[in-house]
């Protein structure tokens, strides 16, 4: 498996993500079908967040943390909207168990799909990221959820 400088796939620009179903309320799982008609799960939970933190060095529990270098420094919340390589890296690790079960590397996953995947994947990520903060264990969850939902609304 080959990864780019942020721990994600080398070629994040390619792909298509189709929503194929709605998860149960509070499950923090979003199910998609890739261009090869395989079911891929995007999960935002404690384990997937730890995986992202380990491999991408981004803490999804801190949406206001400043990430990037030099002039590209911005809050994580903004970076997940604007930094495509970072978004692709995070999405690959959030989907990793599902990719592994299909024998797909993160890099292959992005190469096997066409350019339509990223917007739908990003929308699903923000939905599940906001839902993660609604869990009772998060004291500031409502504030973070409101910020994530506000930041991702169409202009």
């Amino acid at each position: 498996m080959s990864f780019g400088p942020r721990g994600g796939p080398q070629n994040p620009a390619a792909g298509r993500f189709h929503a194929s179903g709605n998860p149960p309320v509070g499950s923090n799982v979003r199910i998609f079908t890739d261009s090869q008609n395989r079911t891929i799960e995007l999960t935002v939970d404690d384990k997937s967040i730890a995986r992202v933190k380990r491999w991408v060095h981004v803490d999804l529990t801190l949406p206001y943390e400043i990430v990037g270098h030099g002039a590209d420094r911005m809050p994580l919340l903004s970076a997940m909207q604007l930094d495509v390589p970072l978004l692709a890296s995070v999405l690959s690790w959030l989907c990793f168990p599902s990719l592994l079960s299909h024998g797909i590397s993160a890099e292959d996953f992005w190469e096997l799909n066409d350019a339509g995947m990223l917007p739908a994947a990003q929308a699903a990520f923000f939905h599940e990221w906001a839902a993660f903060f609604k869990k009772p264990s998060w004291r500031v969850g409502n504030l973070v959820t409101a910020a994530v939902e506000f930041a991702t609304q169409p202009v």
Side-chain angles (χ1 to χ4, degrees):
M1 194 179 305
S2 174
F3 291 97
R6 294 193 182 202
Q10 295 283 354
N11 182 11
R16 180 187 324 214
F17 243 173
H18 298 287
S20 65
N22 293 323
V25 175
S27 70
N28 292 6
V29 174
R30 203 42 95 175
I31 300 171
F32 299 95
T33 303
D34 72 0
S35 65
Q36 304 295 314
N37 211 24
R38 293 175 290 219
T39 300
I40 306 295
E41 292 182 2
L42 181 144
T43 306
V44 179
D45 60 13
D46 293 329
K47 286 183 182 180
S48 63
I49 286 175
R51 200 170 37 249
V52 168
K53 188 173 183 178
R54 178 176 180 190
W55 295 106
V56 188
H57 308 289
V58 168
D59 188 347
L60 294 176
T61 65
L62 302 172
Y64 296 110
E65 178 181 41
I66 302 298
V67 297
H69 303 286
D72 293 333
R73 293 175 52 85
M74 66 184 86
L76 178 59
L77 186 57
S78 299
M80 294 306 293
Q81 296 173 4
L82 304 171
D83 186 338
V84 173
L86 176 62
L87 174 65
S89 297
V90 168
L91 290 173
S92 294
W93 287 107
L94 293 175
C95 296
F96 186 73
S98 186
L99 299 181
L100 191 60
S101 72
H102 290 295
I104 307 168
S105 72
E107 183 178 42
D108 290 343
F109 177 64
W110 292 100
E111 291 176 0
L112 288 171
N113 292 285
D114 63 46
M117 181 174 72
L118 204 56
Q122 184 181 37
F125 164 71
F126 277 109
H127 176 82
E128 295 306 324
W129 198 20
F132 175 80
F133 290 109
K134 291 180 181 176
K135 291 166 51 175
S137 60
W138 282 91
R139 285 182 284 140
V140 294
N142 291 337
L143 295 174
V144 174
T145 299
V148 169
E149 289 172 349
F150 176 78
T152 59
Q153 290 181 4
V155 179

